[in-house]
Amino acid sequence: MLGRASPQLSVRFKQFAATKPNIILGTASKSRRAIFDELSAQFQLTYSVQTADIDEKAIRYPDPSKLVLALGEAKRDAIIAKQSKKVPGSYLITCDQVVVWEGLIREKPESEEECRTFIEGYYQSPASTVGSTVVTCIEDGRSVSVVDTCFIYFSPIPSDVVGAMIKGR
């Protein structure tokens, strides 16, 4: 699942991992956990998971970059507020992602019908994912963030494959 990092980045991350940081992954996402499981195995890291339990629908911005960054920061703030103490060497990683299709922000589909509509429309027009990652040093509150956009082009997806995707979500 993980791509190849540049040798320089890999060395720097190995040095960071050698400090045995206390990493908190602030997400309920299975895919982000799977990515972090792989990263943990590769770099001998351990991590814990905490969820923010925020009302994401209460945070709205028409600009997808601003939206995912605001959501990542809101998750960070909610999880930090739950911390009973600031453990040295602790880092919190929060993320958010939306799909943009024909200029519309699409978040998690709320029904199977909406999910089918989303998937079937993606071959008609390319979609993009806009995602944020916010990394915070819990000890001193310093935070860095990044927003990334990726464009995705699909061929027509057969309806039986769409059905299998919906059942697996």
Side-chain angles (χ1 to χ4, degrees):
M1 188 180 292
L2 289 178
R4 294 270 183 230
S6 71
Q8 181 182 5
L9 180 61
S10 187
V11 167
R12 290 181 68 201
F13 196 82
K14 282 180 185 178
Q15 291 170 339
F16 170 72
T19 68
K20 300 293 183 202
N22 176 38
I23 297 176
I24 302 165
L25 185 59
T27 187
S29 166
K30 291 178 188 176
S31 60
R32 288 189 193 103
R33 285 180 175 180
I35 291 168
F36 222 82
D37 285 343
E38 198 170 322
L39 191 64
S40 295
Q42 184 177 347
F43 292 99
Q44 292 77 47
L45 290 170
T46 58
Y47 70 98
S48 61
V49 174
Q50 291 185 17
T51 57
D53 305 318
I54 63 169
D55 178 7
E56 293 187 25
K57 298 288 184 190
I59 300 170
R60 298 289 95 193
Y61 287 95
D63 178 330
S65 295
K66 287 182 181 177
L67 175 61
V68 295
L69 186 56
L71 287 166
E73 291 172 342
K75 291 174 184 180
R76 172 202 60 204
D77 295 344
I79 292 170
I80 287 176
K82 293 183 199 179
Q83 301 291 311
S84 59
K85 61 182 177 173
K86 295 180 180 182
V87 177
S90 294
Y91 297 88
L92 171 63
I93 301 170
T94 56
C95 308
D96 200 77
Q97 182 178 44
V98 295
V99 172
V100 178
W101 183 74
E102 294 190 343
L104 300 172
I105 295 173
R106 288 185 161 177
E107 295 180 76
K108 295 178 185 101
E110 295 183 4
S111 67
E112 285 190 13
E113 180 181 332
E114 187 175 46
C115 188
R116 181 175 298 282
T117 300
F118 284 7
I119 294 170
E120 289 176 346
Y122 292 145
Y123 81 90
Q124 298 167 2
S125 179
S128 64
T129 58
V130 181
S132 68
T133 303
V134 180
V135 180
T136 304
C137 175
I138 293 179
E139 189 174 3
D140 62 16
R142 288 179 301 145
S143 189
V144 293
S145 58
V146 65
V147 174
D148 191 38
T149 301
C150 176
F151 290 88
I152 307 157
Y153 298 84
F154 289 93
S155 298
I157 303 170
S159 60
D160 60 321
V161 173
V162 172
M165 292 169 69
I166 291 170
K167 285 182 183 173
R169 72 178 184 120

